[in-house]
Structures are given as structure tokens and as C-alpha cells.
Amino acid sequence: MTDSDGKPHRGSAAPDGEPAYADRVYRSVPGVISGVLLLAVAAWLIGDAVLNGTGKTPYVALASVPVFAFPVIAYTLRPEVRAGSSRLVVRNPWRTITAPWAAVDTLRAGYSVELLAGGKKYQVWAVPVSLRQRKRATRAQERGGAEHASRMGMVFGRQSNPVVQGSPDPTRAWSDQVTTVLQEMAERNAARPDAAGPVVVSWCWWVIAPTLVGLAALITAIAV
């Protein structure tokens, strides 16, 4: 296993005697950046309304904070995929799917990345599909493979199509690389003794409850 920056990290011994490694973590960096920017702009606008607004404007602005902030956090900062030696954890905006590798049927990347596990299908929000990256990767492969992809993938001094640690084809789009790596991990780890069990889905109530309470407060502030 590797950590989020792709470097191997050893931990304690696994149940089968093999060395344990840190989980692989995948999330959308553009999504995180956009979430931080949205929250910053919202904080500025809401703060201005609270300090300078008149009448019921400050109360409406305050009531709108959880209605806006928690969904933004849910859809931009919260999504994450964590792949360990025994299970795959998919953290989506409103719920978390924990799938032992033995319960994973397949992962596929079409217009979105999907996890098929336990007879059900789940979207993987943390790994968005970029059609632009796919087109760029296809052109790079046609024009010279990995070396050309490395040159064409640089935008403003950084790589616009990152290479995923362990990917057999680094010229592919990021989402396709991640899907392939996760599928290989599922096939490799499905037979582990600690990789059995049912798929567990849990709701993210710390996001849902404040959003609903804030919505009720916002409706009340507008109506009164």
C-alpha cells in the first residue's frame, strides 16, 4: 500500500502475517479547491449581510449558513475513497459505503465511476470522470505514448493529468487509472481472510441534520 502522496508506508503486521501498509486515499483536488473558494465567498457575503444588513436580513443570512455550508462541504470536501488491504471505503456526500473486497463485484468508469458491490450500484463521487482528460490522454497515446503525455500533461508548471501510483498505464485519465488500480486491488485482496463480510451503508447525519435544521430556521426567518 501507499499513502496519499504515493509513498509506501509500513505499519503493523496484517492478520495473515504480511506487512500492513497505509490505506490508499483518493479525492478530487479541484473539488476540494472549489469547495474552499465557495465557503470563503459565502463567508464574506454572509458576514457583510449580518454586519450591514437591516431588518430581518441579518437573521436570514445567519439561518442560511448551515443550508449553504453543509451541502458545499458534503459535495466538495467530504468525498473520499480509502482503499485498504481488507476493504474499500467510499465516502459520498450523504452516506459512506464500506465494502469488504470479497463483496466488490467490479468498479467501472463510464461517464462516472461506479462501484458494484453486494448486488447494488454506488456512485463514487471522489473520483469524477473528466472527458477532457480522456481526450487528452487519447491524443497523447496516439502521438507518442507516455513521454508525450508527460509533456502535454503539464499546465502552468503542474501536471494536469496526474499519474496514479501503481497504475499500469499512466497515460490514461486520472479517473480511469484510479478505477483500474482499485479493481486490481479488489481482485488481489478478495481471498484474504479479513476481506469477507457484507456491504455496510451509513448515512452522514452530521451533514444531514444541520442542513434540515438550518432549512427550517431559514423558512421561519423569511416567513416571520
Side-chain angles (χ1 to χ4, degrees):
M1 293 291 177
T2 61
D3 55 22
S4 57
D5 61 2
K7 296 179 180 179
H9 174 73
R10 292 180 179 270
S12 57
D16 57 4
E18 297 181 358
Y21 296 89
D23 294 348
R24 297 190 184 190
V25 179
Y26 304 100
R27 63 193 313 167
S28 171
V29 174
V32 172
I33 293 174
S34 64
V36 171
L37 292 177
L38 283 172
L39 291 174
V41 172
W44 174 59
L45 293 175
I46 292 173
D48 180 70
V50 171
L51 296 175
N52 302 317
T54 59
K56 62 181 181 181
T57 299
Y59 303 101
V60 173
L62 286 174
S64 68
V65 171
V67 178
F68 179 82
F70 281 95
V72 168
I73 292 171
Y75 281 95
T76 61
L77 305 183
R78 173 177 154 77
E80 178 185 271
V81 172
R82 186 174 293 271
S85 59
S86 61
R87 62 181 184 174
L88 176 69
V89 179
V90 177
R91 204 166 69 182
N92 282 340
W94 304 108
R95 56 184 185 168
T96 299
I97 300 95
T98 303
W101 288 120
V104 174
D105 300 319
T106 188
L107 289 110
R108 61 192 184 193
Y111 290 104
S112 63
V113 176
E114 298 174 338
L115 164 67
L116 280 71
K120 295 185 178 181
K121 181 173 67 176
Y122 306 95
Q123 300 295 320
V124 182
W125 282 80
V127 188
V129 171
S130 171
L131 298 181
R132 179 178 297 179
Q133 276 192 0
R134 280 183 176 170
K135 291 179 180 178
R136 184 187 301 122
T138 300
R139 289 196 300 268
Q141 291 171 346
E142 292 174 349
R143 296 176 184 175
E147 181 178 353
H148 184 82
S150 177
R151 295 197 305 269
M152 295 299 293
M154 298 300 293
V155 178
F156 299 116
R158 69 180 182 86
Q159 192 157 355
S160 59
N161 188 18
V163 175
V164 176
Q165 181 73 20
S167 172
D169 185 0
T171 65
R172 300 178 68 193
W174 179 74
S175 58
D176 296 330
Q177 292 184 62
V178 172
T179 303
T180 300
V181 170
L182 293 178
Q183 179 63 35
E184 290 179 349
M185 291 183 68
E187 295 171 357
R188 184 171 62 250
N189 295 317
R192 291 174 60 96
D194 56 346
V199 177
V200 177
V201 179
S202 57
W203 290 93
C204 183
W205 291 108
W206 70 265
V207 170
I208 298 173
T211 302
L212 295 177
V213 172
L215 181 60
L218 179 60
I219 294 172
T220 302
I222 294 174
V224 173

PDB file of all heavy atoms in Angstrom, residues 173-202:
ATOM      1  N   ALA A 173      -6.550   8.800 -18.353  1.00  0.00           N
ATOM      2  CA  ALA A 173      -7.124   9.824 -17.487  1.00  0.00           C
ATOM      3  C   ALA A 173      -7.055   9.372 -16.036  1.00  0.00           C
ATOM      4  O   ALA A 173      -7.080   8.169 -15.739  1.00  0.00           O
ATOM      5  CB  ALA A 173      -8.572  10.108 -17.890  1.00  0.00           C
ATOM      6  N   TRP A 174      -6.991  10.346 -15.124  1.00  0.00           N
ATOM      7  CA  TRP A 174      -6.825  10.040 -13.695  1.00  0.00           C
ATOM      8  C   TRP A 174      -7.913   9.103 -13.179  1.00  0.00           C
ATOM      9  O   TRP A 174      -7.633   8.133 -12.469  1.00  0.00           O
ATOM     10  CB  TRP A 174      -6.823  11.350 -12.902  1.00  0.00           C
ATOM     11  CG  TRP A 174      -6.693  11.163 -11.421  1.00  0.00           C
ATOM     12  CD1 TRP A 174      -5.571  10.815 -10.731  1.00  0.00           C
ATOM     13  CD2 TRP A 174      -7.742  11.297 -10.443  1.00  0.00           C
ATOM     14  NE1 TRP A 174      -5.843  10.737  -9.377  1.00  0.00           N
ATOM     15  CE2 TRP A 174      -7.168  11.034  -9.178  1.00  0.00           C
ATOM     16  CE3 TRP A 174      -9.088  11.638 -10.521  1.00  0.00           C
ATOM     17  CZ2 TRP A 174      -7.913  11.087  -8.004  1.00  0.00           C
ATOM     18  CZ3 TRP A 174      -9.837  11.690  -9.343  1.00  0.00           C
ATOM     19  CH2 TRP A 174      -9.235  11.412  -8.105  1.00  0.00           C
ATOM     20  N   SER A 175      -9.166   9.369 -13.527  1.00  0.00           N
ATOM     21  CA  SER A 175     -10.268   8.537 -13.030  1.00  0.00           C
ATOM     22  C   SER A 175     -10.148   7.105 -13.528  1.00  0.00           C
ATOM     23  O   SER A 175     -10.440   6.146 -12.792  1.00  0.00           O
ATOM     24  CB  SER A 175     -11.612   9.131 -13.459  1.00  0.00           C
ATOM     25  OG  SER A 175     -11.684   9.253 -14.869  1.00  0.00           O
ATOM     26  N   ASP A 176      -9.698   6.923 -14.776  1.00  0.00           N
ATOM     27  CA  ASP A 176      -9.533   5.580 -15.318  1.00  0.00           C
ATOM     28  C   ASP A 176      -8.372   4.849 -14.648  1.00  0.00           C
ATOM     29  O   ASP A 176      -8.452   3.637 -14.405  1.00  0.00           O
ATOM     30  CB  ASP A 176      -9.300   5.652 -16.825  1.00  0.00           C
ATOM     31  CG  ASP A 176     -10.510   6.220 -17.569  1.00  0.00           C
ATOM     32  OD1 ASP A 176     -11.630   6.028 -17.083  1.00  0.00           O
ATOM     33  OD2 ASP A 176     -10.316   6.865 -18.605  1.00  0.00           O
ATOM     34  N   GLN A 177      -7.311   5.583 -14.331  1.00  0.00           N
ATOM     35  CA  GLN A 177      -6.188   4.972 -13.612  1.00  0.00           C
ATOM     36  C   GLN A 177      -6.627   4.502 -12.225  1.00  0.00           C
ATOM     37  O   GLN A 177      -6.311   3.387 -11.806  1.00  0.00           O
ATOM     38  CB  GLN A 177      -5.042   5.971 -13.476  1.00  0.00           C
ATOM     39  CG  GLN A 177      -4.357   6.341 -14.778  1.00  0.00           C
ATOM     40  CD  GLN A 177      -3.172   7.260 -14.520  1.00  0.00           C
ATOM     41  OE1 GLN A 177      -2.215   6.876 -13.844  1.00  0.00           O
ATOM     42  NE2 GLN A 177      -3.229   8.466 -15.036  1.00  0.00           N
ATOM     43  N   VAL A 178      -7.340   5.369 -11.506  1.00  0.00           N
ATOM     44  CA  VAL A 178      -7.791   5.015 -10.156  1.00  0.00           C
ATOM     45  C   VAL A 178      -8.704   3.799 -10.197  1.00  0.00           C
ATOM     46  O   VAL A 178      -8.581   2.872  -9.383  1.00  0.00           O
ATOM     47  CB  VAL A 178      -8.512   6.215  -9.499  1.00  0.00           C
ATOM     48  CG1 VAL A 178      -9.155   5.777  -8.178  1.00  0.00           C
ATOM     49  CG2 VAL A 178      -7.540   7.353  -9.254  1.00  0.00           C
ATOM     50  N   THR A 179      -9.632   3.782 -11.150  1.00  0.00           N
ATOM     51  CA  THR A 179     -10.562   2.658 -11.269  1.00  0.00           C
ATOM     52  C   THR A 179      -9.814   1.359 -11.520  1.00  0.00           C
ATOM     53  O   THR A 179     -10.120   0.317 -10.925  1.00  0.00           O
ATOM     54  CB  THR A 179     -11.563   2.912 -12.405  1.00  0.00           C
ATOM     55  OG1 THR A 179     -12.258   4.139 -12.163  1.00  0.00           O
ATOM     56  CG2 THR A 179     -12.572   1.786 -12.498  1.00  0.00           C
ATOM     57  N   THR A 180      -8.808   1.397 -12.392  1.00  0.00           N
ATOM     58  CA  THR A 180      -8.028   0.199 -12.685  1.00  0.00           C
ATOM     59  C   THR A 180      -7.264  -0.288 -11.459  1.00  0.00           C
ATOM     60  O   THR A 180      -7.241  -1.487 -11.161  1.00  0.00           O
ATOM     61  CB  THR A 180      -7.040   0.484 -13.836  1.00  0.00           C
ATOM     62  OG1 THR A 180      -7.768   0.860 -15.005  1.00  0.00           O
ATOM     63  CG2 THR A 180      -6.191  -0.745 -14.132  1.00  0.00           C
ATOM     64  N   VAL A 181      -6.644   0.642 -10.738  1.00  0.00           N
ATOM     65  CA  VAL A 181      -5.890   0.274  -9.536  1.00  0.00           C
ATOM     66  C   VAL A 181      -6.811  -0.345  -8.489  1.00  0.00           C
ATOM     67  O   VAL A 181      -6.485  -1.365  -7.871  1.00  0.00           O
ATOM     68  CB  VAL A 181      -5.156   1.502  -8.960  1.00  0.00           C
ATOM     69  CG1 VAL A 181      -4.586   1.187  -7.580  1.00  0.00           C
ATOM     70  CG2 VAL A 181      -4.042   1.951  -9.882  1.00  0.00           C
ATOM     71  N   LEU A 182      -7.980   0.252  -8.282  1.00  0.00           N
ATOM     72  CA  LEU A 182      -8.931  -0.280  -7.299  1.00  0.00           C
ATOM     73  C   LEU A 182      -9.457  -1.649  -7.714  1.00  0.00           C
ATOM     74  O   LEU A 182      -9.625  -2.538  -6.867  1.00  0.00           O
ATOM     75  CB  LEU A 182     -10.088   0.694  -7.104  1.00  0.00           C
ATOM     76  CG  LEU A 182      -9.744   2.031  -6.451  1.00  0.00           C
ATOM     77  CD1 LEU A 182     -10.976   2.926  -6.374  1.00  0.00           C
ATOM     78  CD2 LEU A 182      -9.163   1.826  -5.053  1.00  0.00           C
ATOM     79  N   GLN A 183      -9.711  -1.840  -9.010  1.00  0.00           N
ATOM     80  CA  GLN A 183     -10.183  -3.130  -9.494  1.00  0.00           C
ATOM     81  C   GLN A 183      -9.115  -4.203  -9.274  1.00  0.00           C
ATOM     82  O   GLN A 183      -9.432  -5.331  -8.858  1.00  0.00           O
ATOM     83  CB  GLN A 183     -10.537  -3.029 -10.981  1.00  0.00           C
ATOM     84  CG  GLN A 183     -11.033  -4.330 -11.602  1.00  0.00           C
ATOM     85  CD  GLN A 183     -12.335  -4.819 -10.985  1.00  0.00           C
ATOM     86  OE1 GLN A 183     -13.198  -4.021 -10.610  1.00  0.00           O
ATOM     87  NE2 GLN A 183     -12.472  -6.132 -10.855  1.00  0.00           N
ATOM     88  N   GLU A 184      -7.860  -3.858  -9.522  1.00  0.00           N
ATOM     89  CA  GLU A 184      -6.779  -4.810  -9.285  1.00  0.00           C
ATOM     90  C   GLU A 184      -6.653  -5.145  -7.803  1.00  0.00           C
ATOM     91  O   GLU A 184      -6.392  -6.299  -7.441  1.00  0.00           O
ATOM     92  CB  GLU A 184      -5.468  -4.252  -9.825  1.00  0.00           C
ATOM     93  CG  GLU A 184      -5.403  -4.180 -11.350  1.00  0.00           C
ATOM     94  CD  GLU A 184      -4.104  -3.592 -11.858  1.00  0.00           C
ATOM     95  OE1 GLU A 184      -3.335  -3.047 -11.024  1.00  0.00           O
ATOM     96  OE2 GLU A 184      -3.846  -3.670 -13.072  1.00  0.00           O
ATOM     97  N   MET A 185      -6.833  -4.137  -6.945  1.00  0.00           N
ATOM     98  CA  MET A 185      -6.786  -4.395  -5.504  1.00  0.00           C
ATOM     99  C   MET A 185      -7.922  -5.313  -5.081  1.00  0.00           C
ATOM    100  O   MET A 185      -7.744  -6.198  -4.227  1.00  0.00           O
ATOM    101  CB  MET A 185      -6.849  -3.080  -4.730  1.00  0.00           C
ATOM    102  CG  MET A 185      -5.612  -2.208  -4.864  1.00  0.00           C
ATOM    103  SD  MET A 185      -5.716  -0.702  -3.846  1.00  0.00           S
ATOM    104  CE  MET A 185      -5.644  -1.424  -2.185  1.00  0.00           C
ATOM    105  N   ALA A 186      -9.107  -5.118  -5.666  1.00  0.00           N
ATOM    106  CA  ALA A 186     -10.251  -5.974  -5.340  1.00  0.00           C
ATOM    107  C   ALA A 186      -9.968  -7.419  -5.721  1.00  0.00           C
ATOM    108  O   ALA A 186     -10.241  -8.348  -4.944  1.00  0.00           O
ATOM    109  CB  ALA A 186     -11.501  -5.458  -6.051  1.00  0.00           C
ATOM    110  N   GLU A 187      -9.430  -7.623  -6.899  1.00  0.00           N
ATOM    111  CA  GLU A 187      -9.136  -8.986  -7.355  1.00  0.00           C
ATOM    112  C   GLU A 187      -8.016  -9.617  -6.528  1.00  0.00           C
ATOM    113  O   GLU A 187      -8.051 -10.820  -6.235  1.00  0.00           O
ATOM    114  CB  GLU A 187      -8.752  -8.951  -8.834  1.00  0.00           C
ATOM    115  CG  GLU A 187      -9.896  -8.499  -9.741  1.00  0.00           C
ATOM    116  CD  GLU A 187      -9.457  -8.258 -11.173  1.00  0.00           C
ATOM    117  OE1 GLU A 187      -8.235  -8.398 -11.435  1.00  0.00           O
ATOM    118  OE2 GLU A 187     -10.307  -7.940 -12.017  1.00  0.00           O
ATOM    119  N   ARG A 188      -7.030  -8.814  -6.146  1.00  0.00           N
ATOM    120  CA  ARG A 188      -5.885  -9.339  -5.410  1.00  0.00           C
ATOM    121  C   ARG A 188      -6.213  -9.653  -3.958  1.00  0.00           C
ATOM    122  O   ARG A 188      -5.683 -10.608  -3.383  1.00  0.00           O
ATOM    123  CB  ARG A 188      -4.736  -8.328  -5.481  1.00  0.00           C
ATOM    124  CG  ARG A 188      -3.448  -8.818  -4.836  1.00  0.00           C
ATOM    125  CD  ARG A 188      -2.290  -7.895  -5.128  1.00  0.00           C
ATOM    126  NE  ARG A 188      -2.495  -6.553  -4.585  1.00  0.00           N
ATOM    127  CZ  ARG A 188      -2.722  -5.474  -5.304  1.00  0.00           C
ATOM    128  NH1 ARG A 188      -2.802  -5.552  -6.625  1.00  0.00           N
ATOM    129  NH2 ARG A 188      -2.883  -4.286  -4.740  1.00  0.00           N
ATOM    130  N   ASN A 189      -7.106  -8.859  -3.347  1.00  0.00           N
ATOM    131  CA  ASN A 189      -7.357  -8.984  -1.910  1.00  0.00           C
ATOM    132  C   ASN A 189      -8.648  -9.709  -1.566  1.00  0.00           C
ATOM    133  O   ASN A 189      -8.933  -9.925  -0.380  1.00  0.00           O
ATOM    134  CB  ASN A 189      -7.396  -7.600  -1.262  1.00  0.00           C
ATOM    135  CG  ASN A 189      -6.052  -6.901  -1.342  1.00  0.00           C
ATOM    136  OD1 ASN A 189      -5.019  -7.510  -1.110  1.00  0.00           O
ATOM    137  ND2 ASN A 189      -6.073  -5.609  -1.664  1.00  0.00           N
ATOM    138  N   ALA A 190      -9.434 -10.100  -2.565  1.00  0.00           N
ATOM    139  CA  ALA A 190     -10.743 -10.707  -2.285  1.00  0.00           C
ATOM    140  C   ALA A 190     -10.632 -11.994  -1.484  1.00  0.00           C
ATOM    141  O   ALA A 190     -11.537 -12.336  -0.711  1.00  0.00           O
ATOM    142  CB  ALA A 190     -11.480 -10.964  -3.595  1.00  0.00           C
ATOM    143  N   ALA A 191      -9.526 -12.719  -1.644  1.00  0.00           N
ATOM    144  CA  ALA A 191      -9.380 -14.015  -0.970  1.00  0.00           C
ATOM    145  C   ALA A 191      -8.815 -13.896   0.445  1.00  0.00           C
ATOM    146  O   ALA A 191      -8.682 -14.906   1.146  1.00  0.00           O
ATOM    147  CB  ALA A 191      -8.489 -14.937  -1.805  1.00  0.00           C
ATOM    148  N   ARG A 192      -8.485 -12.692   0.877  1.00  0.00           N
ATOM    149  CA  ARG A 192      -7.928 -12.530   2.219  1.00  0.00           C
ATOM    150  C   ARG A 192      -8.969 -12.913   3.280  1.00  0.00           C
ATOM    151  O   ARG A 192     -10.162 -12.654   3.116  1.00  0.00           O
ATOM    152  CB  ARG A 192      -7.494 -11.087   2.449  1.00  0.00           C
ATOM    153  CG  ARG A 192      -6.282 -10.654   1.636  1.00  0.00           C
ATOM    154  CD  ARG A 192      -6.027  -9.168   1.830  1.00  0.00           C
ATOM    155  NE  ARG A 192      -5.776  -8.864   3.235  1.00  0.00           N
ATOM    156  CZ  ARG A 192      -4.559  -8.764   3.764  1.00  0.00           C
ATOM    157  NH1 ARG A 192      -3.486  -8.925   3.016  1.00  0.00           N
ATOM    158  NH2 ARG A 192      -4.402  -8.480   5.036  1.00  0.00           N
ATOM    159  N   PRO A 193      -8.547 -13.526   4.384  1.00  0.00           N
ATOM    160  CA  PRO A 193      -9.494 -13.920   5.426  1.00  0.00           C
ATOM    161  C   PRO A 193     -10.258 -12.743   6.031  1.00  0.00           C
ATOM    162  O   PRO A 193     -11.418 -12.888   6.442  1.00  0.00           O
ATOM    163  CB  PRO A 193      -8.603 -14.599   6.476  1.00  0.00           C
ATOM    164  CG  PRO A 193      -7.370 -15.004   5.738  1.00  0.00           C
ATOM    165  CD  PRO A 193      -7.169 -13.976   4.684  1.00  0.00           C
ATOM    166  N   ASP A 194      -9.609 -11.578   6.087  1.00  0.00           N
ATOM    167  CA  ASP A 194     -10.250 -10.422   6.700  1.00  0.00           C
ATOM    168  C   ASP A 194     -10.978  -9.551   5.679  1.00  0.00           C
ATOM    169  O   ASP A 194     -11.416  -8.443   6.010  1.00  0.00           O
ATOM    170  CB  ASP A 194      -9.215  -9.570   7.449  1.00  0.00           C
ATOM    171  CG  ASP A 194      -8.063  -9.122   6.537  1.00  0.00           C
ATOM    172  OD1 ASP A 194      -7.932  -9.682   5.433  1.00  0.00           O
ATOM    173  OD2 ASP A 194      -7.312  -8.219   6.940  1.00  0.00           O
ATOM    174  N   ALA A 195     -11.138 -10.035   4.437  1.00  0.00           N
ATOM    175  CA  ALA A 195     -11.792  -9.247   3.392  1.00  0.00           C
ATOM    176  C   ALA A 195     -13.214  -9.702   3.117  1.00  0.00           C
ATOM    177  O   ALA A 195     -13.816  -9.303   2.131  1.00  0.00           O
ATOM    178  CB  ALA A 195     -10.983  -9.314   2.098  1.00  0.00           C
ATOM    179  N   ALA A 196     -13.758 -10.531   3.999  1.00  0.00           N
ATOM    180  CA  ALA A 196     -15.124 -11.029   3.818  1.00  0.00           C
ATOM    181  C   ALA A 196     -16.097 -10.204   4.640  1.00  0.00           C
ATOM    182  O   ALA A 196     -15.715  -9.513   5.583  1.00  0.00           O
ATOM    183  CB  ALA A 196     -15.201 -12.502   4.212  1.00  0.00           C
ATOM    184  N   GLY A 197     -17.367 -10.292   4.283  1.00  0.00           N
ATOM    185  CA  GLY A 197     -18.399  -9.591   5.040  1.00  0.00           C
ATOM    186  C   GLY A 197     -19.351  -8.834   4.131  1.00  0.00           C
ATOM    187  O   GLY A 197     -19.118  -8.703   2.930  1.00  0.00           O
ATOM    188  N   PRO A 198     -20.429  -8.324   4.701  1.00  0.00           N
ATOM    189  CA  PRO A 198     -21.421  -7.606   3.901  1.00  0.00           C
ATOM    190  C   PRO A 198     -21.030  -6.153   3.659  1.00  0.00           C
ATOM    191  O   PRO A 198     -20.172  -5.597   4.356  1.00  0.00           O
ATOM    192  CB  PRO A 198     -22.677  -7.677   4.774  1.00  0.00           C
ATOM    193  CG  PRO A 198     -22.127  -7.682   6.178  1.00  0.00           C
ATOM    194  CD  PRO A 198     -20.842  -8.473   6.111  1.00  0.00           C
ATOM    195  N   VAL A 199     -21.680  -5.548   2.682  1.00  0.00           N
ATOM    196  CA  VAL A 199     -21.513  -4.119   2.424  1.00  0.00           C
ATOM    197  C   VAL A 199     -22.328  -3.346   3.459  1.00  0.00           C
ATOM    198  O   VAL A 199     -23.486  -3.666   3.726  1.00  0.00           O
ATOM    199  CB  VAL A 199     -21.984  -3.755   1.004  1.00  0.00           C
ATOM    200  CG1 VAL A 199     -21.881  -2.252   0.767  1.00  0.00           C
ATOM    201  CG2 VAL A 199     -21.179  -4.524  -0.028  1.00  0.00           C
ATOM    202  N   VAL A 200     -21.700  -2.348   4.060  1.00  0.00           N
ATOM    203  CA  VAL A 200     -22.367  -1.544   5.094  1.00  0.00           C
ATOM    204  C   VAL A 200     -22.516  -0.112   4.582  1.00  0.00           C
ATOM    205  O   VAL A 200     -21.537   0.503   4.151  1.00  0.00           O
ATOM    206  CB  VAL A 200     -21.572  -1.545   6.419  1.00  0.00           C
ATOM    207  CG1 VAL A 200     -22.250  -0.649   7.447  1.00  0.00           C
ATOM    208  CG2 VAL A 200     -21.438  -2.974   6.944  1.00  0.00           C
ATOM    209  N   VAL A 201     -23.730   0.402   4.617  1.00  0.00           N
ATOM    210  CA  VAL A 201     -24.009   1.773   4.186  1.00  0.00           C
ATOM    211  C   VAL A 201     -24.507   2.574   5.378  1.00  0.00           C
ATOM    212  O   VAL A 201     -25.466   2.170   6.050  1.00  0.00           O
ATOM    213  CB  VAL A 201     -25.065   1.801   3.064  1.00  0.00           C
ATOM    214  CG1 VAL A 201     -25.361   3.239   2.646  1.00  0.00           C
ATOM    215  CG2 VAL A 201     -24.595   0.982   1.870  1.00  0.00           C
ATOM    216  N   SER A 202     -23.864   3.687   5.664  1.00  0.00           N
ATOM    217  CA  SER A 202     -24.265   4.536   6.786  1.00  0.00           C
ATOM    218  C   SER A 202     -24.470   5.958   6.301  1.00  0.00           C
ATOM    219  O   SER A 202     -23.737   6.463   5.452  1.00  0.00           O
ATOM    220  CB  SER A 202     -23.200   4.506   7.891  1.00  0.00           C
ATOM    221  OG  SER A 202     -21.937   4.921   7.387  1.00  0.00           O
TER     222      SER A 202
END
